[in-house]
Amino acid sequence: VGIVLDISLRHNKEDKRIVDIVKDQLVKFVKTFDDEDYFYVFHEDNLKTFYKRGQQVYTISKYQPSELEVDLLFALKQTLYILAGEDDDYLKFMYYITDKKVNEHFIKKVENLNVKDGYEIKIETIDLSKINPQELTSYLTGVHNGDTCGRESEIKDIFSSTN
């Protein structure tokens, strides 16, 4: 699993930062992983995937939104290439999670690279303006495990699939 976070410093109605809610949800998500599952969160200085749960949780917990504009295309490409370099015996997922306006052009570019180079990575855009960030774990777990529990139409509405 590779994650690209593009989250603002906004707060929800309960005055909690959305980024903190998302981080809590991602920690719950990685706790559902098998021992063989690897995890990567984009940071321009990070080129490593992590297999150990402690490293995965640490990587999530240290994430902070950048005060500068993130080069989204670079972030998406780097994450795609890092996932592509991992063992081909496993399904690979890349999630772009944002509460900002989704740049469909960049998503399409990375999607085309994915197809052209034959990486077979499942790419999903998760628009936090369409779901409650506190429900992120259940959505990620359902999509990751291919178990939609009868929520196919709900998930289709929530996720903007890019494949």
Side-chain angles (χ1 to χ4, degrees), residues 14-159:
E14 291 83 37
D15 205 32
K16 289 186 178 180
R17 290 187 332 159
I18 292 173
V19 67
D20 293 332
I21 295 168
V22 168
K23 286 167 42 173
D24 289 344
Q25 293 295 303
L26 287 174
V27 167
K28 290 178 185 174
F29 176 53
V30 299
K31 287 182 178 181
T32 68
F33 286 6
D34 293 330
D35 290 339
E36 306 88 37
D37 288 340
Y38 57 87
F39 185 75
Y40 172 77
V41 175
F42 169 78
H43 187 278
E44 55 200 20
D45 296 329
N46 178 30
L47 300 175
K48 292 173 62 175
T49 56
F50 297 104
Y51 296 86
K52 294 183 179 169
R53 191 77 26 84
Q55 293 171 322
Q56 295 167 346
V57 170
Y58 175 74
T59 299
I60 294 165
S61 65
K62 74 177 189 172
Y63 171 81
Q64 289 298 321
S66 176
E67 293 181 15
L68 304 173
E69 188 68 26
V70 173
D71 183 345
L72 181 59
L73 184 57
F74 175 78
L76 293 168
K77 283 181 173 181
Q78 178 168 312
T79 303
L80 179 79
Y81 293 138
I82 287 189
L83 291 177
E86 293 294 326
D87 193 341
D88 286 334
D89 291 341
Y90 299 99
L91 292 174
K92 299 176 184 180
F93 296 86
M94 184 169 101
Y95 299 107
Y96 165 49
I97 303 172
T98 187
D99 65 345
K100 300 176 183 176
K101 183 170 173 31
V102 176
N103 187 323
E104 295 294 337
H105 177 70
F106 287 168
I107 302 296
K108 272 287 183 221
K109 276 187 158 191
V110 172
E111 187 179 75
N112 290 338
L113 278 173
N114 185 36
V115 171
K116 177 181 79 80
D117 293 338
Y119 296 141
E120 299 181 11
I121 297 169
K122 177 87 173 138
I123 301 172
E124 297 284 344
T125 298
I126 303 172
D127 184 345
L128 294 175
S129 69
K130 296 181 180 175
I131 70 166
N132 179 344
Q134 293 175 329
E135 297 174 359
L136 185 60
T137 301
S138 63
Y139 291 119
L140 285 171
T141 304
V143 171
H144 182 70
N145 293 330
D147 176 18
T148 58
C149 302
R151 299 177 299 163
E152 290 86 356
S153 63
E154 181 183 351
I155 288 174
K156 188 179 264 187
D157 290 342
I158 291 168
F159 291 99

